[in-house]
Amino acid sequence: MERTYIKDLGKSEGQEVVIKGWVDVRRDQGKLVFFDFRDMSGKVQGVILPNQTEAHEVAKDVRPEWVLEVRGKVNKRPEKNVQADKQNGDIELEILGIKVLASAKELPFSSDADLNLDTLLDYRPLTLRRDREQNIFRAQNVIMQAYREYLDRQGFTEFQAPRIVGDDAEGGAGIFKIEYLYGHPAYLSTSPQLYKQMMTGVFERVYTTGPQFRAEKHATSRHLNELTMLDFEMAFVNDHTDVMKMISGTLRHIALTLQEKAKNELAYFKVEATMAPEIFPSMKLREAQELIKKETGKDCTNEPDLEPEDERWLCEYANKNLNSDFIIITHYPTSKRPFYTMDDPEDPGFTKSFDVLFRGVEIVSGSQRVHEYEMLIEKMKSKGLDPEKFSFYLMAFKYGLAPHGGIGLGLERLTEKFLGIENVKEATLFPRDINRIDSLLSK
Ligand code: ATP
Ligand code: MG
């Protein structure tokens, strides 16, 4: 008999079916044995009635995580047992036969408990099977699809950036050194920045997604050492505000797509609908600092950057006063931004750069980039970088790049904030941090 997916069982009421999947929960009640079964499409309750001696015999050792092929009859549940809010809450599978496809050891944690972060990560191949984790990564998948969908519609071309690089692009973020062939040093990229820019000379509008590496010893709830960056870069911009429009549109599309395609996942985390206007509200860094001073008394007006508590305050302000869960802060000082960032001639010392803050944290950095060859070389020198080392990248500029700008967005932080979870590591399948690469480094 052909396999029926669990989500489709309701259509087979009164019929015999075969399902394949895992045991989620086992409950023994006198002579009845109940199971919740799980496959890629959902869950259903099954029961072995007392007269099914053969099935009882096979089932006697079966525990959570055993993989089974189950033959059974789909029955309507008596009215009093219907659980209307649950998938398959109105039916039950009367088990007629069980074939064991794989046995499983007893789980090292209680599957319905609230697990702490260490346990979640220590047993990652198993904890990922839980409802909560499945919901996180299903929602993340929708975010990825929506990101691609929006930019595809805007005429962007996706490309694959290399991850092994000859030098440090940002000159700021910590970088992992690796040993390349013949003893040559090489590095793991911290951002696809330079390649995106070169690619604007090819396709004008490009985006790329994938892992980037930061060799920083952070112990925060928002930093990973390997993250997934969603980057885009677009040519023929007038200035950074064109990029701000594009990222507003992208994030709004992601928010709306989640509300449509990840309804259950959002409901699981009980998050409020995201307020994402067509163009996100924005203010200059200096204006934001003045606002903080005026409203809270905290004077950060001479600081070159926002502290985490400032970012949280600004997001609460936007949520309460600007009908937006996103706020864009522009014009960070030249000293704080990478060499490829365009200065604003109308605001000396400040750049045509911005960060997007979402529910208390920076999720995006972007800017208009320097596209003139001579100016770029000057900017590199002023940051203490050797243009010789960038000759490959500079070739693109020497031979004409259009005015352009773009952004980098962290997928894990975005997922975390959309779902209202606590730590970016929970929104990462297999996080790399100061303590672990899968297992603890100290082991
Ligand atoms: P932060 O100041 O929060 O450390 P950053 O300014 O160094 O971040 P960028 O280099 O601007 O980060 O990277 C662009 C985006 O990539 C960030 O806005 C964030 O969403 C994400 N990101 C950067 N570094 C990390 C990291 N270590 N862990 C998780 N996400 C990150
Ligand atoms: Mg940044």
Side-chain angles (χ1 to χ4, degrees), residues 218-229:
H218 287 296
T220 70
S221 60
R222 61 193 217 154
H223 287 102
L224 299 159
N225 292 99
E226 177 176 338
L227 66 133
T228 308
M229 286 233 304

Side-chain angles (χ1 to χ4, degrees), residues 189-388:
S189 62
T190 58
S191 145
Q193 182 61 33
L194 307 192
Y195 299 92
K196 282 193 296 184
Q197 291 189 264
M198 292 186 261
M199 290 304 291
T200 63
V202 184
F203 295 133
E204 293 190 24
R205 295 183 159 200
V206 293
Y207 72 91
T208 181
T209 70
Q212 297 297 334
F213 308 89
R214 303 275 168 113
E216 290 159 354
K217 292 178 185 149
H218 287 296
T220 70
S221 60
R222 61 193 217 154
H223 287 102
L224 299 159
N225 292 99
E226 177 176 338
L227 66 133
T228 308
M229 286 233 304
L230 313 188
D231 275 82
F232 70 69
E233 201 72 23
M234 50 198 277
F236 299 104
V237 297
N238 293 311
D239 60 19
H240 59 296
T241 59
D242 286 338
V243 185
M244 286 157 57
K245 280 180 205 148
M246 190 63 74
I247 188 61
S248 299
T250 308
L251 289 167
R252 178 180 157 83
H253 180 69
I254 294 173
L256 295 176
T257 308
L258 277 171
Q259 274 152 36
E260 182 193 335
K261 295 193 178 153
K263 245 194 225 105
N264 295 338
E265 288 77 7
L266 293 180
Y268 181 93
F269 290 97
K270 302 188 175 73
V271 271
E272 285 177 29
T274 302
M275 288 191 286
E278 268 167 36
I279 295 183
F280 298 163
S282 67
M283 59 180 84
K284 290 185 176 181
L285 174 69
R286 286 293 181 246
E287 291 165 354
Q289 289 169 327
E290 288 296 340
L291 183 69
I292 292 171
K293 187 174 164 194
K294 187 170 136 240
E295 298 288 324
T296 74
K298 181 188 165 189
D299 188 357
C300 53
T301 50
N302 284 318
E303 298 299 325
D305 214 341
L306 294 169
E307 285 179 23
E309 64 171 270
D310 305 330
E311 295 185 345
R312 278 196 291 276
W313 189 88
L314 287 165
C315 287
E316 275 168 34
Y317 178 85
N319 174 281
K320 289 203 189 85
N321 302 287
L322 307 172
N323 293 322
S324 176
D325 285 319
F326 298 88
I327 180 165
I328 303 183
I329 308 299
T330 70
H331 288 83
Y332 288 83
T334 304
S335 62
K336 277 281 154 187
R337 295 306 252 212
F339 72 87
Y340 50 76
T341 314
M342 183 76 97
D343 286 317
D344 189 346
E346 285 170 18
D347 211 340
F350 294 90
T351 53
K352 293 186 174 182
S353 65
F354 61 89
D355 279 2
V356 182
L357 313 181
F358 178 34
R359 295 193 170 133
V361 73
E362 172 201 323
I363 52 157
V364 170
S365 280
S367 68
Q368 182 180 354
R369 324 298 191 184
V370 178
H371 64 280
E372 286 167 29
Y373 178 67
E374 299 295 342
M375 191 194 285
L376 192 56
I377 288 185
E378 279 318 302
K379 287 274 273 179
M380 279 181 169
K381 286 184 183 159
S382 72
K383 293 265 177 192
L385 297 169
D386 177 6
E388 268 302 297

Side-chain angles (χ1 to χ4, degrees), residues 54-194:
E54 211 182 302
H56 272 289
E57 184 54 30
V58 183
K60 80 179 183 308
D61 298 323
V62 172
R63 289 188 289 261
E65 301 314 313
W66 283 48
V67 188
L68 307 178
E69 180 177 319
V70 178
R71 188 168 57 80
K73 187 165 155 258
V74 182
N75 292 330
K76 222 178 163 63
R77 283 198 202 182
E79 204 60 52
K80 64 176 182 6
N81 294 341
V82 169
Q83 290 179 286
D85 54 337
K86 235 174 143 180
Q87 182 188 23
N88 290 324
D90 56 341
I91 57 167
E92 185 174 69
L93 191 68
E94 180 187 336
I95 298 169
L96 305 173
I98 297 177
K99 193 165 136 193
V100 175
L101 302 180
S103 63
K105 295 265 188 282
E106 201 169 327
L107 278 178
F109 51 84
S110 156
S111 57
D112 51 359
D114 267 345
L115 303 180
N116 67 28
L117 188 60
D118 278 327
T119 310
L120 278 177
L121 300 183
D122 284 344
Y123 302 108
R124 205 56 170 158
L126 310 180
T127 56
L128 287 174
R129 296 181 184 181
R130 295 169 3 126
D131 287 347
R132 185 169 179 280
E133 277 57 38
Q134 284 200 15
N135 282 321
I136 295 173
F137 295 103
R138 253 196 231 107
Q140 191 166 80
N141 187 41
V142 172
I143 292 175
M144 285 296 282
Q145 286 171 3
Y147 176 78
R148 289 198 161 100
E149 185 173 70
Y150 189 79
L151 294 178
D152 288 345
R153 285 184 197 162
Q154 305 297 323
F156 283 73
T157 302
E158 183 171 5
F159 78 100
Q160 310 301 323
R163 315 281 182 234
I164 297 180
V165 296
D167 217 311
D168 180 1
E170 299 277 334
I175 194 161
F176 286 108
K177 195 170 182 180
I178 56 170
E179 194 181 301
Y180 199 61
L181 304 177
Y182 308 112
H184 281 289
Y187 303 88
L188 294 180
S189 62
T190 58
S191 145
Q193 182 61 33
L194 307 192

